[in-house]
């Protein structure tokens, strides 16, 4: 019995929506004004033998408009957290104070705005890569169904075209989200 195109498209749409949500989460951390705990959300820390999100090793607070603090729960990972924040590409310079790491948020100079725009571009490119990965999975599924004889070559071509159109829509969404974020970052 042939698989249903609608089911396949629903699955691919759900997965591409996940990529868009992940991108929005990452971009929400790129602030253009005030300090926000979301800024450190994409930071991953090398701890306990694997890479874990920063939120799993400490809590993030905003004590003042231009400062974030990370209260690390385990003293042994303070150095790793500090390194992860410094190496995150966000242009932040954390300073450890016992089990608390203070992260001053630099004033948005033109150079800093350009750094943030580059980081936004990296996040957007990762989103596009994720979307293209979903497309590749969908294409492989249709080829497998065609090979098994469950769908015809014509159906496979039509399904492939539908998958490509869906992919193009989501890549455009990524581009639109990126353009909005770049406008927000460059706004003085």
């Amino acid at each position: 019995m042939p698989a249903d195109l609608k089911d396949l498209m629903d699955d691919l749409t759900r997965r591409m929506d996940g990529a868009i949500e992940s991108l929005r989460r990452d971009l929400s951390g790129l602030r253009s004004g005030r300090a926000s705990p979301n800024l450190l959300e994409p930071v991953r820390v090398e701890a306990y033998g694997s890479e874990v999100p920063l939120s799993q090793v400490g809590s993030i607070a905003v004590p003042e408009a231009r400062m974030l603090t990370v209260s690390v729960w385990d003293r042994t990972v303070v150095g790793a957290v500090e390194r992860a924040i410094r190496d995150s590409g966000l242009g932040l310079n954390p300073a450890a104070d016992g089990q608390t790491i203070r992260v001053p948020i630099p004033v948005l100079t033109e150079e800093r705005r350009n750094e943030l725009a580059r980081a936004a571009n990296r996040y957007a490119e990762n989103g596009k890569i994720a979307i293209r990965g979903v497309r590749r999975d969908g294409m492989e599924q249709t080829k497998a169904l065609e090979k098994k004889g469950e769908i015809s070559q014509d159906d496979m071509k039509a399904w492939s075209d539908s998958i490509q159109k869906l992919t193009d829509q989501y890549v455009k969404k990524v581009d639109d989200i990126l353009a909005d974020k770049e406008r927000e970052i460059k706004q003085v």
Side-chain angles (χ1 to χ4, degrees), residues 23-182:
L23 172 64
R24 285 186 201 275
R25 246 190 334 274
D26 289 347
L27 290 178
S28 72
L30 292 179
R31 54 85 189 101
S32 53
R34 294 178 44 87
S36 163
N38 292 342
L39 178 62
L40 298 178
E41 199 168 293
V43 175
R44 299 187 63 78
V45 180
E46 189 68 39
Y48 313 118
S50 65
E51 245 187 33
V52 296
L54 178 60
S55 60
Q56 290 185 7
V57 294
S59 58
I60 304 166
V62 184
E64 52 191 77
R66 306 202 63 71
M67 176 76 68
L68 291 171
T69 59
V70 180
S71 299
V72 182
W73 300 317
D74 182 353
R75 184 178 305 258
T76 61
V77 296
V78 170
V81 170
E82 192 177 1
R83 237 182 341 275
I85 294 170
R86 187 171 290 117
D87 298 342
S88 66
L90 296 171
L92 300 173
N93 193 16
D97 179 14
Q99 281 185 245
T100 301
I101 297 175
R102 297 186 190 296
V103 186
I105 305 300
V107 176
L108 283 179
T109 61
E110 187 62 33
E111 180 183 332
R112 180 75 180 119
R113 289 178 196 281
N114 290 334
E115 282 177 30
L116 289 171
R118 282 193 296 275
N121 275 297
R122 281 194 306 274
Y123 291 148
E125 188 54 38
N126 289 341
K128 288 179 183 179
I129 289 168
I131 289 168
R132 288 192 295 262
V134 172
R135 176 193 61 196
R136 185 184 57 245
D137 291 349
M139 295 293 198
E140 287 171 0
Q141 288 177 37
T142 59
K143 285 178 185 165
L145 289 171
E146 194 260 337
K147 232 177 202 172
K148 289 182 197 170
E150 292 183 26
I151 62 173
S152 68
Q153 261 188 332
D154 290 343
D155 285 345
M156 187 192 80
K157 174 80 173 105
W159 286 26
S160 295
D161 289 347
S162 296
I163 293 169
Q164 186 58 50
K165 282 181 187 151
L166 182 69
T167 303
D168 293 343
Q169 288 172 0
Y170 276 86
V171 167
K172 180 163 180 3
K173 278 186 187 180
V174 168
D175 290 337
D176 292 345
I177 291 168
L178 175 62
D180 288 346
K181 191 63 179 184
E182 283 181 329

